[in-house]
C-alpha cells in the first residue's frame, strides 16, 4: 500500500516523511483503512521513521498525519488497536512541546472511539493532567483538551467518577487562567456537568469556585465581524449556570454578589441581581440565612436609589426570589422561621414610608413590599395584614385626589399580586378581614369628581370583584350599580369605556347580577332613546356596553335578542338613527361574535340566532314593494351590508364541519332557489331571486350577494357547498354583467373565495376555462370592463395564493392591461390587492389556501416583465407600471427586496417624479426601510434621493409630506461621509416644513431637522 504521495510500501521501515504531501498521504491512508487493504497499525509502521526521527518538527509532522487519519477512521478501530494507540500517544505526551498539539489531536480522535478498554480514559486524563501545561498551548489546542475531557465525561462517566476529587483538581489545573471565550463556553459546561452529575468535589470546592468566579461579572465585547458568533450573553448564561448549580458555592458566591451589587458598575449590578435570582431557585434557607441582612440592605438601596428601571426590576425580582426560597422552608416546632424575621425587617424599613405626609418614598416602599408579598401566600398574608389597614387609614387621612389616587394604586398593586393564587379560603385572610373597609374606600373613590381617581377606582374594583369568594351579594350589586352609573350617566368617555371593560371582565364571575341589573338597564336605555335630554352618543354607548358585557353564555342569550330587536326598530322606521345606527349595532354584534368563539355552545347559539335574522332583515328590505321609503332601504346601503359581512363571517369561520354543513344547506338554496322557510318571520311580499335578470327590486336583491359571500367563504375547506357548480356559474355571470360595482365586486370575491378552496381536478380546470373566456369577452368590449377587471384581479389573487399554474397566464393579462389608457391605473392599484394579506374571503382566518412565499414567487415571475414593459411603454402609461412596481415592492419581504435593489432602485427613483400621488406615497414607504437595511446601495444615489425627498416636502398631500420627511430622517443612517456634504442644504430646506399648517407634518420636520443638526457631531 502507498501510504503517501511517494511510492512507499506499508511496512517499509526506512520510509521518510520528507517529500510527502501530508494531506494527500493522509487521504490515501484513510482510503486504505476504510477499504480494508491495511490496518491503522500498518500506517503506524509505515510512519515508523518519521515518528522516531530526532527532529521534533519531523516527529510532529508524522504524528499529525497519523492523527488526521484517526480523526476520519476512529469508528473503524478495534479495541486492541485503540489500546496500542493510546499507549503510544500517552508516551508522546512527554515529548517535545512542538509535538504536543498533534498528540492531542490524536487523543481527541481516540476519545470518540466506542471500543475503548476500561481504564484507558482515566489513564489518558491522568497523563494530560500530569504532562501537559494546557494554558501554554494555543487556543485551538486548549480547545482540543476540553473536547477530550467532554468526550470521556459522556462515554466513561463511571470511570472518571472513580478518580474522586483528583479529577476535579486536574480539571482546575487545566482551566486555570483560560481567557479565550470559545474555550470558556466549553469549560463552563464541563464545570456544570462536574457539579450536576455528581462528581466528587472533595476539598476543592472553593478552588473550583475561584477558578470560575474570577470571570464574574463577564466583561466581554465581541469583535466586529466575529466569525464565531459568541456573544457576551452566551458567556453570562454559561457562567451563571456554573455559579448557581450547587448550594456548596453559596458561602463563596453570596459575598461576591453583595460586593458587586454595591459597586458603581451598572452591568455588574445587573448581572449580580440576575445571578442572585437564579441562585435562589437552588439554595435553601440554610445557605441564605447568614447573608439575609446584607442582601436586603443592598436590594433596598437599589430600589430606593436606582437610576435604572431595569436594575430596579431585577432588584425586585431578586427580592421576590429570596422570599420564595425562604417560603419553601418546612417548619418544625424548634425551627426559626426565617421568612417571618425577613419580612418583619422589610416591614420595619418600608412601612413607615407609607405614612409620610410628602409621600416621596411611597412607591419604592410599595414595590418592595409587593415584591416580597408575591413570593408565597404565607408572605402575602404577613405583608398585607400590616399594610392593608394602613392604606385604608392613609386614604382617609389624605384629602387631595392625587394622594388618594397614589394610595389606591398601591392597593391595586397588592390586589394584582393576590391573583397568583386561588380563591380566599381562610377566614382570617387579610383581604377578608379588611373587606368592608376596602370596599368603602373604593366606592368612595368612584364618587370623587377627579376622573383619574375614578379610573383607578374602577380598576381596583375590578380586581376586588375578580377575587372569587371575597365580595358578598350586596357588594356585588353595589359594584354593578356603580359600573352601570358610569356607563349610562357619566359624560367622560374614559370612565365609561373603563366601566365597560370592567363589566366584561366581571360578568363571567357574577352573571346573574349583571344580567339582572346591567343588561336590563341597557335594554331600557335603548328603548328610551327618543326621550328628551339624551345625548347623541347615548345609543352607541348602550350598544357598546351590551357587547362588552356579553362574556358569559347566559348573558349572550339576553343581549343578542336586544341587539337584534334594535336593528329591527331601525328598519321599521322606529328610530331616526339612519345608517350610523345600523353600523353601530353591527359592530356590537361583531364584538359579541368574536367573544363567543371561545365557547362552543354560545357560538352555535349566536350563529343560529343572528345569521338568519340578519339575512332575513336584509331580504325583507330588498323585497319591499314601496321602494320610495328611505328608511326601509337603510339595510341595503353599502355601509350597512359591509358592516354585516364581518358578523356573518365571524359567526361561521369556527363552526364544526357538521354544523357548518347543516347551516350552508339552508343558505345556498335561499339565494339559488328563493327558499325562505328557514328565515324568521314569513311576511315576505314577493319571491327572492337575486341571480335573475331585471331591474329594481331584483337589483336590490343582488346586493345581498355580499352576505352570501360572507357565509360560504368563511366555511372550512372540508365543508361541501350544495349546488356549488351552479352557484359558481351564477356568481361568474353576475360579476361580469352587474351595473352596481358593489354587487359585482361581492360576486367576484365570492367566486374567488370558492375557487381558492375548490379541489384540483378536471372540474376546476373547466370552471377556470369558462371564467377565462368570460373575462376575455368582458375586457375586450362592452360597458362592464371595470367589473371584468375586478373579477380578473380576484381570481388571480385566489390562484396565486394556491400556486395554480393558470396564475402566470392571468398575470400576463394584467401586465398587458397596464398599457390600457382607461384600465391601466386601476390595474396598477390592483397589484396592491394581489400582494397584500386579505382580511376577508382570501385570508387564513377564513380557511383560504395560502401557500408560503407566494409574494416572492409572484415577484420573481412578474417584476422582470414589469420592468421590460415599463421601458417599452408609451409615455402616457409609464406611471401605471411604476404604480404596479411600487405596490409589489412595498409588500415584499425586506431581505428579498434588498438583494434585488441595485436593479430596481433607478425605477423607484423615477417613481418619485411620477405625478400620481399614490405612486409617490407607496414608493416613499418602500424606500424608508431600505435606507436603514441597505445603506451600501442607497449611498450610491444619495444626491438624487436628497433632491427628490426635499421636493416632496412641498407636496399638496399631507401623507406624502410626512413620508418624505421620514425618509429625510432615515437618510442620516447612511454613512456620515456620504451625507455630511448635504447637511447645510437639508437644514435650510427643512425650515419651511417647520411652519406647515398640519401639526403632524411640523412634528416630523422637527424630528428630521434635529437629526440633521446632530449629524457629524462627536458621539453620533
Amino acid at each position: 500500500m502507498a501510504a503517501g504521495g511517494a511510492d512507499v510500501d506499508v511496512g517499509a521501515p526506512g520510509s521518510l516523511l520528507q517529500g510527502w504531501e501530508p494531506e494527500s498521504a493522509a487521504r490515501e491512508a484513510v482510503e486504505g483503512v476504510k477499504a480494508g487493504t491495511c490496518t491503522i497499525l500498518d500506517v503506524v509502521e509505515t510512519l515508523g521513521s518519521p515518528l522516531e526521527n530526532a527532529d521534533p518538527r519531523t516527529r510532529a509532522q508524522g504524528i499529525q498525519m497519523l492523527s488526521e487519519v484517526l480523526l476520519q477512521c476512529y469508528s473503524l478501530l478495534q479495541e486492541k488497536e485503540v489500546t496500542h494507540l493510546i499507549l503510544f500517544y500517552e508516551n508522546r505526551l512527554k515529548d517535545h512541546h512542538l509535538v504536543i498539539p498533534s498528540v492531542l489531536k490524536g487523543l481527541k480522535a481516540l476519545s470518540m472511539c466506542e471500543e475503548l478498554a476500561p481504564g484507558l480514559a482515566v489513564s489518558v486524563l491522568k497523563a494530560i493532567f500530569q504532562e501537559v501545561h494546557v494554558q501554554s498551548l494555543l487556543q485551538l489546542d486548549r480547545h482540543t483538551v476540553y473536547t477530550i475531557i467532554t468526550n470521556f465525561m459522556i462515554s466513561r462517566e463511571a470511570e472518571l467518577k472513580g478518580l474522586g476529587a483528583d479529577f476535579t483538581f486536574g480539571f482546575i489545573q487545566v482551566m486555570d487562567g483560560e481567557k479565550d471565550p470559545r474555550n470558556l463556553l466549553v469549560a463552563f459546561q464541563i464545570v456544570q456537568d462536574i457539579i450536576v452529575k455528581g462528581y466528587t468535589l472533595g476539598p476543592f470546592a472553593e478552588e473550583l469556585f475561584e477558578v470560575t468566579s474570577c470571570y464574574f461579572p463577564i466583561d466581554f465585547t465581541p469583535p466586529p465581524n466575529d466569525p464565531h458568533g459568541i456573544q457576551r450573553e452566551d458567556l453570562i448564561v454559561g457562567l451563571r449556570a456554573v455559579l448557581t448549580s450547587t448550594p456548596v458555592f453559596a458561602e463563596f458566591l453570596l459575598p461576591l454578589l453583595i460586593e458587586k451589587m454595591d459597586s458603581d458598575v451598572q452591568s455588574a449590578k445587573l448581572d449580580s441581581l440576575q445571578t442572585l435570582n437564579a441562585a435562589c431557585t437552588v439554595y435553601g434557607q440554610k445557605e441564605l440565612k447568614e447573608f439575609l441582612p446584607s442582601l436586603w440592605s443592598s436590594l433596598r438601596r437599589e430600589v430606593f436609589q436606582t437610576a435604572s428601571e431595569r436594575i430596579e426590576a431585577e432588584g425586585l425580582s431578586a427580592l421576590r426570589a429570596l422570599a420564595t426560597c425562604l417560603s419553601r422552608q418546612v417548619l418544625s416546632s424548634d425551627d426559626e422561621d426565617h421568612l417571618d424575621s425577613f419580612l418583619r425587617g422589610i416591614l420595619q424599613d418600608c412601612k413607615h414610608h407609607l405614612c409620610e405626609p410628602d409621600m416621596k418614598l411611597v412607591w419604592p416602599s410599595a414595590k418592595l413590599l409587593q415584591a416580597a408579598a408575591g413570593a408565597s401566600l404565607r408572605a402575602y398574608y404577613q405583608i398585607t395584614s400590616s399594610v392593608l389597614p394602613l392604606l385604608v387609614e392613609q386614604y382617609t387621612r389624605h384629602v387631595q385626589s392625587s394622594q388618594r389616587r397614589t394610595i389606591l394604586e398601591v392597593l391595586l398593586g397588592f390586589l394584582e399580586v393576590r391573583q397568583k393564587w386561588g380563591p380566599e379560603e381562610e377566614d382570617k385572610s387579610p383581604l377578608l378581614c379588611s373587606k368592608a373597609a376596602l370596599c368603602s374606600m373604593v366606592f368612595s373613590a368612584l364618587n370623587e369628581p377627579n376622573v383619574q381617581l375614578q379610573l383607578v377606582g374602577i380598576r381596583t374594583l375590578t380586581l376586588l370583584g375578580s377575587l372569587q369568594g371575597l365580595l358578598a351579594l350586596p357588594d356585588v350589586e353595589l359594584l354593578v350599580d356603580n359600573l352601570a352609573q358610569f356607563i349610562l350617566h357619566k359624560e367622560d368617555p374614559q370612565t365609561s369605556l373603563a366601566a365597560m371593560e370592567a363589566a366584561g371582565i366581571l360578568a363571567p364571575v357574577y352573571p346573574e347580577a349583571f344580567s339582572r341589573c346591567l343588561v336590563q338597564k341597557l335594554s331600557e336605555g335603548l328603548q328610551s332613546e327618543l326621550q328628551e335630554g339624551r345625548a347623541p352618543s347615548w345609543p352607541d354607548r348602550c350598544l357598546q356596553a351590551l357587547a362588552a358585557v356579553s362574556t358569559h353564555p347566559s348573558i349572550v342569550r339576553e343581549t343578542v335578542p336586544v341587539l337584534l330587536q334594535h336593528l329591527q326598530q331601525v328598519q321599521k322606521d322606529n328610530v331616526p338613527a339612519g345608517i350610523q345606527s345600523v353600523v353601530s349595532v353591527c359592530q356590537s354584534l361583531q364584538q359579541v361574535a368574536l367573544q363567543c368563539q371561545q365557547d362552543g355552545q354560545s357560538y352555535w347559539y349566536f350563529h343560529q340566532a343572528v345569521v338568519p335574522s340578519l339575512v332575513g332583515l336584509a331580504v325583507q328590505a330588498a323585497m319591499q314593494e314601496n321602494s320610495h321609503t328611505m328608511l326601509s332601504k337603510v339595510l341595503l346601503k353599502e355601509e350597512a351590508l359591509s358592516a354585516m359581512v364581518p358578523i356573518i363571517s365571524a359567526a361561521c369561520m369556527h363552526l364544526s364541519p357538521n354544523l357548518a354543513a347543516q347551516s350552508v344547506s339552508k343558505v345556498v338554496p335561499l339565494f339559488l332557489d328563493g327558499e325562505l322557510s328557514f328565515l324568521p318571520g314569513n311576511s315576505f311580499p314577493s319571491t327572492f331571486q337575486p341571480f335573475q335578470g331585471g331591474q329594481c327590486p331584483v337589483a336590490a336583491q343582488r346586493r345581498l350577494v355580499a352576505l352570501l359571500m360572507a357565509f360560504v367563504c368563511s366555511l372550512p375547506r372540508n365543508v361541501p357547498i350544495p349546488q356549488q357548480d351552479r352557484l359558481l356559474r351564477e356568481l361568474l355571470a353576475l360579476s361580469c354583467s352587474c351595473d352596481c360595482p358593489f354587487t359585482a365586486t361581492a360576486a367576484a370575491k365570492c367566486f374567488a373565495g370558492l375557487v381558492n378552496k375548490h379541489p384540483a381536478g378536471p372540474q376546476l380546470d373547466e370552471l377556470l376555462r369558462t371564467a377565462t373566456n368570460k373575462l376575455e369577452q368582458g375586457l375586450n368590449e362592452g360597458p362592464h370592463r371595470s367589473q371584468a377587471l375586478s373579477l380578473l384581479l380576484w381570481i388571480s389573487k385566489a390562484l396565486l395564493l394556491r400556486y395554480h399554474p393558470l396564475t402566470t397566464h392571468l398575470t400576463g393579462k394584467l401586465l398587458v392591461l397596464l398599457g390600457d389608457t382607461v384600465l391601466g391605473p386601476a390595474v396598477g392599484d390592483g397589484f396592491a390587492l394581489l400582494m397584500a394579506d386579505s382580511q376577508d374571503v382570501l385570508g387564513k382566518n377564513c380557511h383560504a389556501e395560502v401557500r408560503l412565499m407566494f409574494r416572492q414567487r409572484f415577484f420573481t415571475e412578474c417584476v422582470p416583465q414589469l420592468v421590460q414593459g415599463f421601458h417599452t411603454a408609451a409615455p402616457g402609461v409609464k406611471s401605471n407600471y411604476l404604480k404596479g412596481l411600487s405596490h409589489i415592492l412595498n409588500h415584499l419581504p425586506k431581505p428579498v427586496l434588498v438583494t434585488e435593489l441595485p436593479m430596481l432602485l433607478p425605477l423607484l427613483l423615477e417613481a418619485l417624479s411620477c405625478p400620481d400621488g399614490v405612486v409617490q406615497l407607496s414608493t416613499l414607504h418602500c424606500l424608508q426601510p431600505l435606507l436603514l437595511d441597505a445603506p451600501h446601495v442607497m449611498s450610491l444615489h444619495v444626491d438624487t434621493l436628497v433632491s427628490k425627498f426635499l421636493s416632496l416636502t412641498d407636496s399638496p398631500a399631507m401623507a406624502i409630506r410626512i413620508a418624505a420627511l421620514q425618509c429625510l430622517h432615515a437618510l442620516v443612517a447612511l454613512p456620515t461621509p456620504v451625507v455630511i456634504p448635504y447637511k447645510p442644504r437639508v437644514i435650510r430646506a427643512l425650515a419651511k416644513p417647520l411652519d406647515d399648517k398640519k401639526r403632524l407634518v411640523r412634528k416630523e420636520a422637527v424630528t428630521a431637522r434635529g437629526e440633521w443638526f446632530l449629524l457629524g457631531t462627536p458621539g453620533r
Side-chain angles (χ1 to χ4, degrees), residues 807-823:
T807 306
T808 304
H809 174 69
L810 298 180
T811 302
K813 285 185 174 296
L814 290 172
L815 292 171
V816 172
L817 287 172
L818 283 171
D820 190 292
T821 55
V822 178
L823 296 180

Side-chain angles (χ1 to χ4, degrees), residues 54 130 191 247 316 376 393 424 438 454 480 715 721 785 816 859 960 966 971 1016:
Q130 292 173 6
V191 177
L316 294 172
S376 65
E393 177 188 339
E424 293 283 348
L438 292 175
Q454 290 174 347
V480 177
L715 300 177
I721 308 295
R785 294 186 72 202
V816 172
F859 170 83
I960 293 177
Q966 290 172 340
L971 271 176

Side-chain angles (χ1 to χ4, degrees), residues 525-538:
L526 282 178
Q527 296 296 331
S528 63
E529 184 181 336
L530 296 176
Q531 294 180 7
E532 294 183 4
R534 296 296 189 193
S537 61
W538 172 264

